Amino acid sequence: MSRRIKHLTLTESVVSIIKEKILNGEYLPGERIIESDLAEELEISRGPIREALRQVEFEGFIECQSNRGCSVKSISFIEVKDTYIVRKTLEKLSIKLCQGQFKEQTIEKMEQLVKEMDKASREKDLKRLIDLDEEFHSLIILESGNGKLYEVWSTLKAVNMMIFVSTYSLDLFNS
């Protein structure tokens, strides 16, 4: 397997840093992200910070309002419910399309992912748990062989991550 080094622009690096801060709990749901503080911390101008915030907002991790700045997106119970209804429906459709027949290698991979998710949960490694959950559910959708279904399902990635972050920040993850 060939790995390539990806050279990130300054804005892409800031996007990555902001998302990492959200996922590791440095920025909690509802908390403001102060552009000037982040620029000072990263020792860069505010231009790349503004661009990164627009990108992170577009991806669904934060909400920005004029004259109020940006804050980490809080997920309401209704949004959680609506998101999971859509995800469940897409996954059921995928299972229907593959007639409930998953390849043996897919089943083995899913079993391995469940074990890894359990470990990540016990270790309180939220970022790893989110990545593993994403991979597990991707396998269900990919099994259908329907690229458009996967494309639609992928649009829910950011909200799913924020559901995990919100749940973790409420300390439900630890009980």
Side-chain angles (χ1 to χ4, degrees), residues 17 21 26-27 34-44 49:
I17 289 167
K21 286 176 171 282
E26 267 184 80
Y27 293 148
I34 311 296
E35 196 178 287
S36 58
D37 291 351
L38 189 55
E40 186 178 316
E41 175 189 337
L42 300 177
E43 299 178 351
I44 60 173
I49 302 289

Side-chain angles (χ1 to χ4, degrees), residues 2-19:
S2 171
R3 291 187 180 218
R4 294 194 174 170
I5 295 174
K6 184 178 177 186
H7 297 281
L8 301 177
T9 65
L10 184 55
T11 298
E12 290 169 333
S13 295
V14 175
V15 165
S16 180
I17 289 167
I18 293 169
K19 289 182 352 187

Side-chain angles (χ1 to χ4, degrees), residues 95-130:
I95 292 166
K96 184 177 181 180
L97 290 172
C98 70
Q99 300 175 341
Q101 300 298 312
F102 282 51
K103 294 178 211 100
E104 185 61 36
Q105 67 190 39
T106 301
I107 293 170
E108 289 171 5
K109 179 65 177 171
M110 291 172 87
E111 288 171 347
Q112 180 61 37
L113 288 168
V114 169
K115 290 176 186 170
E116 291 179 42
M117 283 189 277
D118 180 58
K119 182 179 180 207
S121 178
R122 282 186 275 107
E123 294 174 352
K124 297 177 176 59
D125 185 346
L126 182 61
K127 182 171 181 348
R128 180 85 175 122
L129 182 60
I130 291 169

